[in-house]
Structures are given as structure tokens and as C-alpha cells.
Amino acid sequence: MSTAMYTQLARTRYAASEHTQGPWDPESQHLGPVTALLVHEFGTRPGMELSKLSLDVFAPVPVGELEVRTELLRGGKRVQCLSAHVTSGGREYVRATAWRVRTADTPATAASGPLAPPPETLERDRDTWLSAGFGYGRAVDWRFSAGGPLKAGPATAWGRVTVPLVEGEEITPLERLALFADSGNGISFAVDHEAYLFVNVDLSISLFRAPSGEWIGMDSSTVIGPSGRGLTRSTLFDQDGEVGAAAQTLFVAPR
């Protein structure tokens, strides 16, 4: 088994490892690694930072070979818009849009500090469905300060990925955040995950500053409506404080 989530096969092609497995099907990936891989493929541009990333999920992404193609939709010195398509076997599974905004000195308004105690002071989650039940869960060091993987309702947790994203490459703080941001509906589940599916059909991440460090925090809550839909909202933070927010629209159904 690869020591990383992905091995790069060619310029735009990657092979996914067991570390990308999601909780619903061992043959399907968790969206967190896919999101981080998209950030990896978008790359960086000096003087600009990613401020918005939106994903639409057309089907569960298989654990196998993927192709990730990116395109510049709108160029500019102050604002850029990019798109990406994730395909496997000729089928499109995820479509994404990203916005980059130029960096400049601006008067920062007050934002909340870290929404959880330092991760080093919290006990590591072990041997639950989240930390031991599937590949992606096992690849993350989970530390809860509120809620937990066996307790329904809102939750606050730190996460730190313990394996490389791409074989032979250093993972960036932004890739760490992208990898963790899709976990909101999992840590703040509102219905029994053994009785119901609550799978997100999209993911939206908005950032007002760049994250830093190896730990990413998430304060999440999920609401379920009366007709098969749900919504998860998460505040994202690092050890310096709040950095942005994430949202997921959920498809909810009995198993």
C-alpha cells in the first residue's frame, strides 16, 4: 500500500490509495482528499491567495486512477477564477470552481481565536468508526473538544493528516485545510449513521485569510430537514484563530 493518499502517474493523472477511502463504501473516496488534490493541482501564484473553493459532486469518486484537469476561466491582476474537473475512466465525478484574490495590506477586523483548546492538550480519538473504520479516518489524528464520533450533535475538533497527500511532496497548510473541511457532516452527525446515509452533494469553502500550521480546527453543526435534505455549517480555524467557513448540502436517506 502507498504511504501517501495519491501517487502521481503523469502530469494530470493520479492513483488513489486506501488512505482516501470514505466511510460509506471502501471502493469510494472521501471528498476530503479529492478536495486537497484539487487545491494541489490549482497550484499557487505569487501575490494571490485562494479565497473560495466550490465543489459539485456528481457521483462517489472511486478509489482508483483519476485525472484532474484545471483551466483558467478569468485572468486578472486582482481576481482570478479557475475551474477543475475530476474524471476516472472517462466519467466526470467532481466539478470545481476556485477564486483567487490578490494580497494587499488591509485593516483586519477582529475574528475569533482558536475555537478549541490546543490539540496537544486533548486526547486523541482511537478505535471508533471515525479513527479506525476507514482509510481517510485512519490517516487523520482526531482531537475533540466538544461532541465526538459516538455522540450526535454539534462538534468541535482538531485534525492533522498523518500521511502525505501526494507521494514525495510536502503538504501545504491550505491543502491540509481542504482535506479536513469536508469532515463537518461526519463529526456533527444528526442522525444515526448506521441507519441513515447523509452524503454531501457539494462543498463550499470561503477563506478570509490563509491557514497556517499542521493542525486545522472545525466547529460544525448539522440540521436535517423533513424531506430528505440536510445542511452542515462549519467554522474553520487554525492555532492562530478563525480563517473561514465551510458548508455542505446533504442527501439524507435510510440505508
Side-chain angles (χ1 to χ4, degrees):
M1 182 180 69
S2 172
T3 58
M5 291 184 165
Y6 298 101
T7 300
Q8 189 165 12
L9 304 175
R11 173 60 191 88
T12 60
R13 291 197 303 115
Y14 295 85
S17 77
E18 180 183 306
H19 296 307
T20 67
Q21 287 176 332
W24 306 113
D25 180 352
E27 300 300 320
S28 297
Q29 295 189 50
H30 191 284
L31 192 61
V34 178
T35 306
L37 186 63
L38 284 165
V39 170
H40 182 81
E41 274 296 300
F42 281 134
T44 60
R45 175 165 176 174
M48 305 193 85
E49 291 182 347
L50 187 142
S51 63
K52 178 71 180 291
L53 177 61
S54 301
L55 280 69
D56 290 309
V57 185
F58 302 141
V61 181
V63 178
E65 290 191 16
L66 305 178
E67 184 162 21
V68 183
R69 292 195 174 274
T70 63
E71 178 185 0
L72 180 65
L73 297 180
R74 180 196 187 279
K77 295 181 179 180
R78 295 189 291 183
V79 178
Q80 291 183 343
C81 183
L82 303 97
S83 70
H85 305 266
V86 178
T87 61
S88 181
R91 179 181 180 184
E92 184 175 18
Y93 286 88
V94 176
R95 186 175 299 173
T97 302
W99 285 92
R100 287 185 185 138
V101 175
R102 62 89 180 95
T103 57
D105 290 330
T106 50
T109 57
S112 64
L115 302 180
E120 296 82 3
T121 67
L122 301 172
E123 184 178 353
R124 182 173 183 174
D125 180 64
R126 301 178 186 274
D127 301 325
T128 69
W129 69 271
L130 178 63
S131 58
F134 56 102
Y136 167 78
R138 292 190 295 270
V140 175
D141 180 351
W142 303 90
R143 310 284 178 104
F144 283 82
S145 67
L150 302 179
K151 181 181 179 181
T156 305
W158 292 102
R160 175 181 62 174
V161 63
T162 60
V163 302
L165 176 65
V166 177
E167 189 77 50
E169 299 195 33
E170 187 79 19
I171 188 171
T172 69
L174 183 59
E175 290 165 358
R176 290 180 183 274
L177 181 142
L179 191 142
F180 194 49
D182 185 61
S183 300
N185 64 319
I187 68 169
S188 68
F189 63 96
V191 292
D192 185 353
H193 61 82
E194 293 186 358
Y196 287 90
L197 296 170
F198 42 94
V199 182
N200 54 307
V201 299
D202 65 7
L203 172 65
S204 177
I205 301 171
S206 297
L207 303 174
F208 60 83
R209 72 167 175 87
S212 62
E214 62 177 350
W215 288 97
I216 299 297
M218 176 180 292
D219 181 63
S220 303
S221 63
T222 297
V223 292
I224 305 295
S227 56
R229 300 191 306 280
L231 174 65
T232 297
R233 289 166 284 202
S234 301
T235 300
L236 304 173
F237 54 95
D238 59 18
Q239 291 187 276
D240 294 322
E242 185 181 353
V243 300
Q248 300 161 287
T249 305
L250 309 180
F251 164 79
V252 185
R255 279 185 178 270

